[in-house]
Amino acid sequence: MRVRRLSLRPRLGSALLLLFFALLAAMPYLLPRLFPEMETNPLLLRRWLDILVMANLLAVLAMSWDLLGGYTGQISFGHSFFFGLGAFTAAILSLTVDWSPWTVIGVGALAAAVGGVLIAAPALRLHGPYLSLMTLVAALAFDRFIRWLKPADRFDLGIPGAEGAILCSLKCFLTFDAVAKYYYALALLVGSFLVLWAIARSRIGLALEAIRDDEEAAQAAGINTAKFKTLAFSVSGFFAGLSGAFYVYHIGSASPSYVLNLERSVEAIATAVLGGMGTIVGPIFGAYFFKLFEELFRPLEALRYGVLFALALAVLLLVQGGLLSRALQRLRGRDLVAVPPSAPPPSPPPSEGLPQGTETQTGTEAVRR
Amino acid sequence: MGSVIEVLILGFLISSLYALIALGFTMIFGVAGVLNLAHGAFAMVGAYLALGALEWGWSLPAAALFAVVGMAFLAPLVYVLLIRPVEDRPIIVFLGTLLFAVVLEQIVGLFFGFNSRIVPPLVEGILTVGEVRIPVNRLAASAIALSIIGGLWLFVNRTRVGKAILALSMERRGAALVGIPTQRIILGVWAISGALAAIAGLFVGSFFGISPLEERLLLTIAFTIVILGGLGSIPGSLGAALIIGFSETVVQQFAPEARGLASLLLLMLVLTFRPQGLLGRAAA
């Protein structure tokens, strides 16, 4: 059980986060001031805003993974399934019905939430690796299914050479105004964050953490684990689908080789791990780090992914795996077993000073020892 | 009639290869309790070790041996450096081996590029049975795979070390109590698993070609077979390899557009209705 302590740190963390969001909100005005080339070359500004839009979409995807993986301990290898379900639902709807973009994106997210419930049904009986394989198989099967179905043939809007892809750029766009689109994506990020954060901070979040730490104990304590796991799957699916549906309205097409690529799942996991698993807020910083690294080290080509994944691996082992704190304790010559719960737990650098993650970690560590 | 015989032969040949891929994966889980998601990457790295040795001008048998011995060294090393420190945290091991696998993809891609490469066949020639033409290389691969599986079965069931491995897979603490050097045995099992992965990687590389990202397919095959057969059950894995191998061959022959979908749907059904796999322990 998490004990809420009276301290200044939670307020400091929220203040830092608010500052970060404010900074993002000022970006369209800040960027041309900071980089004078962007003022003369609006295409360059547009390109960078698009990169930040992609960072927001990755952040929403990674946060949705984090609610399921980091908070509930249900490791999904198939978040591309939810992302792709949202994306293809949005792409097909945009071509077939005359709804507003927001309705279509919302329905896409709902479809992914339903997908989450469908996966949760068998997943309730599955644990650990079986569950992860189920999510992976769902993603692979959906990919094959779309390639076999070739939905684009029905609309005559396929992309030559891209199996199963739908080109809907005439119907699925939000606005031509890059700045407006940037603000839509930012609103998506902040809104998704607030909802996921509220869920994680509520009694629901406590139940999810209890399931992660010891499912049988949670059940014995009277938590309806089936209900909460299904809820976690559907909420996670909803936000992953939201990210996917918005992606279609950002790019103008849905192609299995992007939206259903396992790379999306791996990226979501690496992003959540980089920012700090089980914190919800961490993945936001993880996503910005990931996308900016990807962009700034473009000359490194494929190597930058190697570096990013290696960094994620190092964070996973050193911080989440506790190797760093163990090594520090050994250096200080402290007892390895009796860690006072008030000891400052390790927290990944980007989310430092944010109380939610640190308190959670302390609680988990205390339970484990 | 010809196509039925072809399905039977090709299905059997591919099944024996799948069994080899899955065997090392399931052994590590059964004995060391680690689900090694880098297993597919081990197979891929094995194939590339051989390709690298060939580029230095080694002969094919020497290169193949280098790959197998190299992976037999690297796999225990990965265990000691990466997995053992966090062994008691399954989620960390799970995500760690997955991330390590994608890092390996990138490292290999850095040196060799991401395009598919073909390992030269170990044996040249084509055998004709009735109307069916079978590359001798595939027959040889199947024979080698089956003899390795048979040899491993004899090793585990008939030798003292093998019995120690079995004891360890049943109860690690109990095995340690009766004086079995558990750490040494676990390192040995990692070495065997690495060597098996390298052999499988070599064959896959010579049949279909191999690229760094291909390891995900190998991992998916191993994962599917092992879950279908029941985690840690070697007979279950062999049976599941036959099921997957034959169902894929049949689909490939008669409904090629649904290739890859059939075995995935089969797996989803099994997971839904028999979560412990066909021959798995009920308490999974």
PDB file of all heavy atoms in Angstrom, chain A residues 237-264:
ATOM      1  N   GLY A 237      -5.630  -0.525 -24.559  1.00  0.00           N
ATOM      2  CA  GLY A 237      -5.970  -0.637 -25.975  1.00  0.00           C
ATOM      3  C   GLY A 237      -6.543   0.661 -26.508  1.00  0.00           C
ATOM      4  O   GLY A 237      -6.204   1.101 -27.605  1.00  0.00           O
ATOM      5  N   PHE A 238      -7.404   1.308 -25.709  1.00  0.00           N
ATOM      6  CA  PHE A 238      -8.044   2.547 -26.142  1.00  0.00           C
ATOM      7  C   PHE A 238      -6.994   3.598 -26.498  1.00  0.00           C
ATOM      8  O   PHE A 238      -7.025   4.183 -27.584  1.00  0.00           O
ATOM      9  CB  PHE A 238      -8.963   3.079 -25.035  1.00  0.00           C
ATOM     10  CG  PHE A 238      -9.659   4.352 -25.392  1.00  0.00           C
ATOM     11  CD1 PHE A 238     -10.861   4.335 -26.075  1.00  0.00           C
ATOM     12  CD2 PHE A 238      -9.105   5.583 -25.050  1.00  0.00           C
ATOM     13  CE1 PHE A 238     -11.499   5.509 -26.416  1.00  0.00           C
ATOM     14  CE2 PHE A 238      -9.743   6.767 -25.387  1.00  0.00           C
ATOM     15  CZ  PHE A 238     -10.936   6.732 -26.075  1.00  0.00           C
ATOM     16  N   PHE A 239      -6.013   3.806 -25.591  1.00  0.00           N
ATOM     17  CA  PHE A 239      -5.053   4.887 -25.843  1.00  0.00           C
ATOM     18  C   PHE A 239      -4.054   4.514 -26.935  1.00  0.00           C
ATOM     19  O   PHE A 239      -3.638   5.369 -27.714  1.00  0.00           O
ATOM     20  CB  PHE A 239      -4.371   5.308 -24.538  1.00  0.00           C
ATOM     21  CG  PHE A 239      -5.273   6.141 -23.693  1.00  0.00           C
ATOM     22  CD1 PHE A 239      -5.949   5.590 -22.613  1.00  0.00           C
ATOM     23  CD2 PHE A 239      -5.517   7.457 -24.020  1.00  0.00           C
ATOM     24  CE1 PHE A 239      -6.819   6.349 -21.857  1.00  0.00           C
ATOM     25  CE2 PHE A 239      -6.393   8.226 -23.273  1.00  0.00           C
ATOM     26  CZ  PHE A 239      -7.041   7.670 -22.187  1.00  0.00           C
ATOM     27  N   ALA A 240      -3.698   3.229 -27.020  1.00  0.00           N
ATOM     28  CA  ALA A 240      -2.826   2.810 -28.124  1.00  0.00           C
ATOM     29  C   ALA A 240      -3.552   3.017 -29.448  1.00  0.00           C
ATOM     30  O   ALA A 240      -2.975   3.486 -30.432  1.00  0.00           O
ATOM     31  CB  ALA A 240      -2.412   1.355 -27.947  1.00  0.00           C
ATOM     32  N   GLY A 241      -4.860   2.683 -29.467  1.00  0.00           N
ATOM     33  CA  GLY A 241      -5.657   2.867 -30.677  1.00  0.00           C
ATOM     34  C   GLY A 241      -5.833   4.338 -31.014  1.00  0.00           C
ATOM     35  O   GLY A 241      -5.818   4.737 -32.183  1.00  0.00           O
ATOM     36  N   LEU A 242      -5.981   5.158 -29.983  1.00  0.00           N
ATOM     37  CA  LEU A 242      -6.101   6.608 -30.173  1.00  0.00           C
ATOM     38  C   LEU A 242      -4.846   7.130 -30.873  1.00  0.00           C
ATOM     39  O   LEU A 242      -4.924   7.899 -31.839  1.00  0.00           O
ATOM     40  CB  LEU A 242      -6.257   7.271 -28.803  1.00  0.00           C
ATOM     41  CG  LEU A 242      -6.683   8.738 -28.750  1.00  0.00           C
ATOM     42  CD1 LEU A 242      -8.056   8.894 -29.359  1.00  0.00           C
ATOM     43  CD2 LEU A 242      -6.692   9.217 -27.313  1.00  0.00           C
ATOM     44  N   SER A 243      -3.700   6.665 -30.396  1.00  0.00           N
ATOM     45  CA  SER A 243      -2.441   7.070 -31.009  1.00  0.00           C
ATOM     46  C   SER A 243      -2.385   6.622 -32.469  1.00  0.00           C
ATOM     47  O   SER A 243      -1.989   7.390 -33.351  1.00  0.00           O
ATOM     48  CB  SER A 243      -1.288   6.467 -30.190  1.00  0.00           C
ATOM     49  OG  SER A 243      -0.063   6.698 -30.790  1.00  0.00           O
ATOM     50  N   GLY A 244      -2.818   5.373 -32.724  1.00  0.00           N
ATOM     51  CA  GLY A 244      -2.792   4.849 -34.089  1.00  0.00           C
ATOM     52  C   GLY A 244      -3.732   5.606 -35.010  1.00  0.00           C
ATOM     53  O   GLY A 244      -3.390   5.937 -36.149  1.00  0.00           O
ATOM     54  N   ALA A 245      -4.965   5.909 -34.508  1.00  0.00           N
ATOM     55  CA  ALA A 245      -5.947   6.608 -35.335  1.00  0.00           C
ATOM     56  C   ALA A 245      -5.470   8.025 -35.653  1.00  0.00           C
ATOM     57  O   ALA A 245      -5.585   8.502 -36.784  1.00  0.00           O
ATOM     58  CB  ALA A 245      -7.291   6.654 -34.608  1.00  0.00           C
ATOM     59  N   PHE A 246      -4.895   8.687 -34.651  1.00  0.00           N
ATOM     60  CA  PHE A 246      -4.368  10.033 -34.883  1.00  0.00           C
ATOM     61  C   PHE A 246      -3.209   9.962 -35.878  1.00  0.00           C
ATOM     62  O   PHE A 246      -3.070  10.842 -36.734  1.00  0.00           O
ATOM     63  CB  PHE A 246      -3.893  10.655 -33.561  1.00  0.00           C
ATOM     64  CG  PHE A 246      -3.649  12.135 -33.649  1.00  0.00           C
ATOM     65  CD1 PHE A 246      -4.586  13.033 -33.159  1.00  0.00           C
ATOM     66  CD2 PHE A 246      -2.490  12.620 -34.227  1.00  0.00           C
ATOM     67  CE1 PHE A 246      -4.366  14.405 -33.265  1.00  0.00           C
ATOM     68  CE2 PHE A 246      -2.260  13.979 -34.322  1.00  0.00           C
ATOM     69  CZ  PHE A 246      -3.197  14.872 -33.845  1.00  0.00           C
ATOM     70  N   TYR A 247      -2.416   8.907 -35.784  1.00  0.00           N
ATOM     71  CA  TYR A 247      -1.293   8.746 -36.716  1.00  0.00           C
ATOM     72  C   TYR A 247      -1.787   8.756 -38.166  1.00  0.00           C
ATOM     73  O   TYR A 247      -1.187   9.396 -39.035  1.00  0.00           O
ATOM     74  CB  TYR A 247      -0.533   7.438 -36.415  1.00  0.00           C
ATOM     75  CG  TYR A 247       0.445   7.064 -37.484  1.00  0.00           C
ATOM     76  CD1 TYR A 247       1.711   7.641 -37.534  1.00  0.00           C
ATOM     77  CD2 TYR A 247       0.102   6.152 -38.476  1.00  0.00           C
ATOM     78  CE1 TYR A 247       2.596   7.323 -38.534  1.00  0.00           C
ATOM     79  CE2 TYR A 247       0.981   5.826 -39.484  1.00  0.00           C
ATOM     80  CZ  TYR A 247       2.233   6.419 -39.516  1.00  0.00           C
ATOM     81  OH  TYR A 247       3.095   6.105 -40.515  1.00  0.00           O
ATOM     82  N   VAL A 248      -2.896   8.027 -38.418  1.00  0.00           N
ATOM     83  CA  VAL A 248      -3.440   7.979 -39.779  1.00  0.00           C
ATOM     84  C   VAL A 248      -3.829   9.379 -40.240  1.00  0.00           C
ATOM     85  O   VAL A 248      -3.567   9.775 -41.373  1.00  0.00           O
ATOM     86  CB  VAL A 248      -4.642   7.021 -39.832  1.00  0.00           C
ATOM     87  CG1 VAL A 248      -5.418   7.201 -41.129  1.00  0.00           C
ATOM     88  CG2 VAL A 248      -4.168   5.594 -39.705  1.00  0.00           C
ATOM     89  N   TYR A 249      -4.430  10.164 -39.329  1.00  0.00           N
ATOM     90  CA  TYR A 249      -4.830  11.524 -39.697  1.00  0.00           C
ATOM     91  C   TYR A 249      -3.627  12.464 -39.782  1.00  0.00           C
ATOM     92  O   TYR A 249      -3.740  13.562 -40.324  1.00  0.00           O
ATOM     93  CB  TYR A 249      -5.876  12.056 -38.706  1.00  0.00           C
ATOM     94  CG  TYR A 249      -7.260  11.649 -39.102  1.00  0.00           C
ATOM     95  CD1 TYR A 249      -7.714  10.365 -38.840  1.00  0.00           C
ATOM     96  CD2 TYR A 249      -8.096  12.511 -39.797  1.00  0.00           C
ATOM     97  CE1 TYR A 249      -8.969   9.959 -39.236  1.00  0.00           C
ATOM     98  CE2 TYR A 249      -9.362  12.114 -40.192  1.00  0.00           C
ATOM     99  CZ  TYR A 249      -9.784  10.837 -39.908  1.00  0.00           C
ATOM    100  OH  TYR A 249     -11.025  10.437 -40.314  1.00  0.00           O
ATOM    101  N   HIS A 250      -2.503  12.016 -39.261  1.00  0.00           N
ATOM    102  CA  HIS A 250      -1.287  12.820 -39.365  1.00  0.00           C
ATOM    103  C   HIS A 250      -0.562  12.521 -40.679  1.00  0.00           C
ATOM    104  O   HIS A 250      -0.130  13.430 -41.385  1.00  0.00           O
ATOM    105  CB  HIS A 250      -0.380  12.508 -38.168  1.00  0.00           C
ATOM    106  CG  HIS A 250       0.966  13.149 -38.217  1.00  0.00           C
ATOM    107  ND1 HIS A 250       1.150  14.497 -38.441  1.00  0.00           N
ATOM    108  CD2 HIS A 250       2.208  12.638 -38.073  1.00  0.00           C
ATOM    109  CE1 HIS A 250       2.441  14.786 -38.433  1.00  0.00           C
ATOM    110  NE2 HIS A 250       3.100  13.671 -38.223  1.00  0.00           N
ATOM    111  N   ILE A 251      -0.496  11.239 -41.030  1.00  0.00           N
ATOM    112  CA  ILE A 251       0.305  10.801 -42.172  1.00  0.00           C
ATOM    113  C   ILE A 251      -0.526  10.699 -43.450  1.00  0.00           C
ATOM    114  O   ILE A 251      -0.034  10.954 -44.544  1.00  0.00           O
ATOM    115  CB  ILE A 251       0.952   9.424 -41.861  1.00  0.00           C
ATOM    116  CG1 ILE A 251       1.950   9.565 -40.714  1.00  0.00           C
ATOM    117  CG2 ILE A 251       1.627   8.832 -43.077  1.00  0.00           C
ATOM    118  CD1 ILE A 251       3.184  10.360 -41.032  1.00  0.00           C
ATOM    119  N   GLY A 252      -1.816  10.297 -43.289  1.00  0.00           N
ATOM    120  CA  GLY A 252      -2.662  10.187 -44.458  1.00  0.00           C
ATOM    121  C   GLY A 252      -2.725   8.807 -45.073  1.00  0.00           C
ATOM    122  O   GLY A 252      -3.235   8.634 -46.174  1.00  0.00           O
ATOM    123  N   SER A 253      -2.184   7.816 -44.383  1.00  0.00           N
ATOM    124  CA  SER A 253      -2.291   6.451 -44.888  1.00  0.00           C
ATOM    125  C   SER A 253      -2.103   5.486 -43.721  1.00  0.00           C
ATOM    126  O   SER A 253      -1.624   5.857 -42.652  1.00  0.00           O
ATOM    127  CB  SER A 253      -1.243   6.177 -45.959  1.00  0.00           C
ATOM    128  OG  SER A 253       0.039   6.190 -45.377  1.00  0.00           O
ATOM    129  N   ALA A 254      -2.519   4.235 -43.955  1.00  0.00           N
ATOM    130  CA  ALA A 254      -2.286   3.177 -42.971  1.00  0.00           C
ATOM    131  C   ALA A 254      -1.656   2.015 -43.710  1.00  0.00           C
ATOM    132  O   ALA A 254      -2.242   1.496 -44.656  1.00  0.00           O
ATOM    133  CB  ALA A 254      -3.592   2.749 -42.311  1.00  0.00           C
ATOM    134  N   SER A 255      -0.456   1.664 -43.333  1.00  0.00           N
ATOM    135  CA  SER A 255       0.223   0.574 -44.015  1.00  0.00           C
ATOM    136  C   SER A 255       0.655  -0.466 -42.983  1.00  0.00           C
ATOM    137  O   SER A 255       1.229  -0.104 -41.958  1.00  0.00           O
ATOM    138  CB  SER A 255       1.450   1.126 -44.755  1.00  0.00           C
ATOM    139  OG  SER A 255       2.367   0.095 -44.974  1.00  0.00           O
ATOM    140  N   PRO A 256       0.347  -1.739 -43.241  1.00  0.00           N
ATOM    141  CA  PRO A 256       0.723  -2.767 -42.258  1.00  0.00           C
ATOM    142  C   PRO A 256       2.221  -2.732 -41.953  1.00  0.00           C
ATOM    143  O   PRO A 256       2.626  -3.019 -40.835  1.00  0.00           O
ATOM    144  CB  PRO A 256       0.346  -4.080 -42.941  1.00  0.00           C
ATOM    145  CG  PRO A 256      -0.564  -3.726 -44.035  1.00  0.00           C
ATOM    146  CD  PRO A 256      -0.308  -2.310 -44.413  1.00  0.00           C
ATOM    147  N   SER A 257       3.020  -2.366 -42.958  1.00  0.00           N
ATOM    148  CA  SER A 257       4.463  -2.423 -42.728  1.00  0.00           C
ATOM    149  C   SER A 257       4.919  -1.314 -41.777  1.00  0.00           C
ATOM    150  O   SER A 257       6.041  -1.342 -41.306  1.00  0.00           O
ATOM    151  CB  SER A 257       5.227  -2.323 -44.045  1.00  0.00           C
ATOM    152  OG  SER A 257       4.844  -1.158 -44.719  1.00  0.00           O
ATOM    153  N   TYR A 258       4.037  -0.337 -41.497  1.00  0.00           N
ATOM    154  CA  TYR A 258       4.388   0.601 -40.425  1.00  0.00           C
ATOM    155  C   TYR A 258       3.528   0.369 -39.186  1.00  0.00           C
ATOM    156  O   TYR A 258       4.064   0.057 -38.123  1.00  0.00           O
ATOM    157  CB  TYR A 258       4.263   2.062 -40.878  1.00  0.00           C
ATOM    158  CG  TYR A 258       4.723   3.022 -39.786  1.00  0.00           C
ATOM    159  CD1 TYR A 258       6.054   3.381 -39.685  1.00  0.00           C
ATOM    160  CD2 TYR A 258       3.839   3.508 -38.826  1.00  0.00           C
ATOM    161  CE1 TYR A 258       6.501   4.211 -38.661  1.00  0.00           C
ATOM    162  CE2 TYR A 258       4.274   4.340 -37.797  1.00  0.00           C
ATOM    163  CZ  TYR A 258       5.599   4.691 -37.740  1.00  0.00           C
ATOM    164  OH  TYR A 258       6.034   5.504 -36.713  1.00  0.00           O
ATOM    165  N   VAL A 259       2.215   0.492 -39.331  1.00  0.00           N
ATOM    166  CA  VAL A 259       1.386   0.496 -38.115  1.00  0.00           C
ATOM    167  C   VAL A 259       1.316  -0.876 -37.460  1.00  0.00           C
ATOM    168  O   VAL A 259       1.076  -0.976 -36.262  1.00  0.00           O
ATOM    169  CB  VAL A 259      -0.047   1.030 -38.374  1.00  0.00           C
ATOM    170  CG1 VAL A 259      -0.004   2.447 -38.850  1.00  0.00           C
ATOM    171  CG2 VAL A 259      -0.801   0.149 -39.322  1.00  0.00           C
ATOM    172  N   LEU A 260       1.519  -1.954 -38.223  1.00  0.00           N
ATOM    173  CA  LEU A 260       1.447  -3.284 -37.608  1.00  0.00           C
ATOM    174  C   LEU A 260       2.826  -3.906 -37.461  1.00  0.00           C
ATOM    175  O   LEU A 260       2.952  -5.078 -37.130  1.00  0.00           O
ATOM    176  CB  LEU A 260       0.536  -4.198 -38.436  1.00  0.00           C
ATOM    177  CG  LEU A 260      -0.940  -3.860 -38.305  1.00  0.00           C
ATOM    178  CD1 LEU A 260      -1.771  -4.623 -39.313  1.00  0.00           C
ATOM    179  CD2 LEU A 260      -1.422  -4.150 -36.902  1.00  0.00           C
ATOM    180  N   ASN A 261       3.865  -3.108 -37.724  1.00  0.00           N
ATOM    181  CA  ASN A 261       5.220  -3.614 -37.581  1.00  0.00           C
ATOM    182  C   ASN A 261       5.532  -3.847 -36.107  1.00  0.00           C
ATOM    183  O   ASN A 261       5.195  -3.029 -35.256  1.00  0.00           O
ATOM    184  CB  ASN A 261       6.180  -2.566 -38.155  1.00  0.00           C
ATOM    185  CG  ASN A 261       7.549  -3.134 -38.397  1.00  0.00           C
ATOM    186  OD1 ASN A 261       8.009  -3.991 -37.650  1.00  0.00           O
ATOM    187  ND2 ASN A 261       8.196  -2.667 -39.441  1.00  0.00           N
ATOM    188  N   LEU A 262       6.187  -4.974 -35.819  1.00  0.00           N
ATOM    189  CA  LEU A 262       6.552  -5.253 -34.423  1.00  0.00           C
ATOM    190  C   LEU A 262       7.464  -4.172 -33.867  1.00  0.00           C
ATOM    191  O   LEU A 262       7.582  -3.999 -32.655  1.00  0.00           O
ATOM    192  CB  LEU A 262       7.257  -6.597 -34.323  1.00  0.00           C
ATOM    193  CG  LEU A 262       6.363  -7.818 -34.413  1.00  0.00           C
ATOM    194  CD1 LEU A 262       7.168  -9.066 -34.163  1.00  0.00           C
ATOM    195  CD2 LEU A 262       5.229  -7.716 -33.411  1.00  0.00           C
ATOM    196  N   GLU A 263       8.110  -3.426 -34.776  1.00  0.00           N
ATOM    197  CA  GLU A 263       8.952  -2.307 -34.367  1.00  0.00           C
ATOM    198  C   GLU A 263       8.179  -1.345 -33.465  1.00  0.00           C
ATOM    199  O   GLU A 263       8.732  -0.782 -32.529  1.00  0.00           O
ATOM    200  CB  GLU A 263       9.416  -1.575 -35.636  1.00  0.00           C
ATOM    201  CG  GLU A 263      10.749  -0.911 -35.529  1.00  0.00           C
ATOM    202  CD  GLU A 263      11.871  -1.913 -35.359  1.00  0.00           C
ATOM    203  OE1 GLU A 263      11.913  -2.915 -36.088  1.00  0.00           O
ATOM    204  OE2 GLU A 263      12.685  -1.696 -34.468  1.00  0.00           O
ATOM    205  N   ARG A 264       6.855  -1.150 -33.748  1.00  0.00           N
ATOM    206  CA  ARG A 264       6.051  -0.243 -32.926  1.00  0.00           C
ATOM    207  C   ARG A 264       5.987  -0.765 -31.492  1.00  0.00           C
ATOM    208  O   ARG A 264       6.096  -0.004 -30.541  1.00  0.00           O
ATOM    209  CB  ARG A 264       4.633  -0.121 -33.496  1.00  0.00           C
ATOM    210  CG  ARG A 264       4.534   0.440 -34.912  1.00  0.00           C
ATOM    211  CD  ARG A 264       4.874   1.894 -35.033  1.00  0.00           C
ATOM    212  NE  ARG A 264       6.293   2.159 -35.133  1.00  0.00           N
ATOM    213  CZ  ARG A 264       7.059   1.836 -36.168  1.00  0.00           C
ATOM    214  NH1 ARG A 264       6.561   1.218 -37.211  1.00  0.00           N
ATOM    215  NH2 ARG A 264       8.342   2.101 -36.162  1.00  0.00           N
TER     216      ARG A 264
END
